[in-house]
């Protein structure tokens, strides 16, 4: 089984491109705090590269910005490539199956979620409108 679950903050704005066949691909990276603090009280951070595809890629590019908190589920994938200096290198990436946007919405944010914000106004319901 190859399953990864991470929660972290974006270290840069997502980069959305398209393949030659027109499929959207988004590359982003997150910083994830380690579970336990070191002896001096600091918590180390791990950085992960994430790739997502199609509609998920479009949504990430549209709504996410550097610093936003996300939850990612996916799988690990290794990739080998040749660097410009001719050396062979290997990279480990997360192929995202799902990305949850976890940062709260606020008025200082540059998010474009205005049409989906819930109303804080509650309307009373009359007794005759209740189904029981």
């Amino acid at each position: 089984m190859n399953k990864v679950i991470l929660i972290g903050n974006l270290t840069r704005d997502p980069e959305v491109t398209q393949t030659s066949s027109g499929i959207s691909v988004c590359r982003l990276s997150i910083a994830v705090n380690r579970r336990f603090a070191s002896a001096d009280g600091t918590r180390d951070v791990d950085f992960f590269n994430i790739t997502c595809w199609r509609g998920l890629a479009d949504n990430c590019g549209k709504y996410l910005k550097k610093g936003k908190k996300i939850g990612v589920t996916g799988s690990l994938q290794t990739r080998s490539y040749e660097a410009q200096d001719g050396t062979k290198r290997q990279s480990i990436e997360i192929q995202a199956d799902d990305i949850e946007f976890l940062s709260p919405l606020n008025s200082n944010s540059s998010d474009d979620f205005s049409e989906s914000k819930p109303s804080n106004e509650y309307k009373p319901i009359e007794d005759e409108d209740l189904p029981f």
Side-chain angles (χ1 to χ4, degrees), residues 93-113:
E93 301 172 343
I94 289 118
Q95 292 295 315
D97 296 326
D98 189 30
I99 296 179
E100 295 287 329
F101 303 169
L102 301 177
S103 288
L105 300 175
N106 59 39
S107 59
N108 297 334
S109 166
S110 62
D111 292 332
D112 189 16
F113 287 113

Side-chain angles (χ1 to χ4, degrees), residues 49-131:
N49 292 321
I50 298 167
T51 304
C52 57
W53 298 86
R54 296 179 173 77
L56 182 58
D58 293 332
N59 286 335
C60 287
K62 183 175 181 181
Y63 296 114
L64 292 177
K65 300 285 183 228
K66 178 181 176 179
K68 296 292 186 181
K69 185 177 288 290
I70 62 171
V72 178
T73 58
S75 57
L76 285 177
Q77 187 175 64
T78 59
R79 182 172 57 93
S80 298
Y81 64 96
E82 190 171 307
Q84 289 180 343
D85 63 2
T87 60
K88 289 190 176 189
R89 299 196 181 168
Q90 211 172 25
S91 170
I92 298 176
E93 301 172 343
I94 289 118
Q95 292 295 315
D97 296 326
D98 189 30
I99 296 179
E100 295 287 329
F101 303 169
L102 301 177
S103 288
L105 300 175
N106 59 39
S107 59
N108 297 334
S109 166
S110 62
D111 292 332
D112 189 16
F113 287 113
S114 56
E115 68 276 358
S116 64
K117 288 185 182 179
S119 171
N120 289 335
E121 297 178 19
Y122 295 104
K123 298 175 185 169
I125 298 174
E126 300 297 325
D127 287 340
E128 59 268 2
D129 293 336
L130 294 175

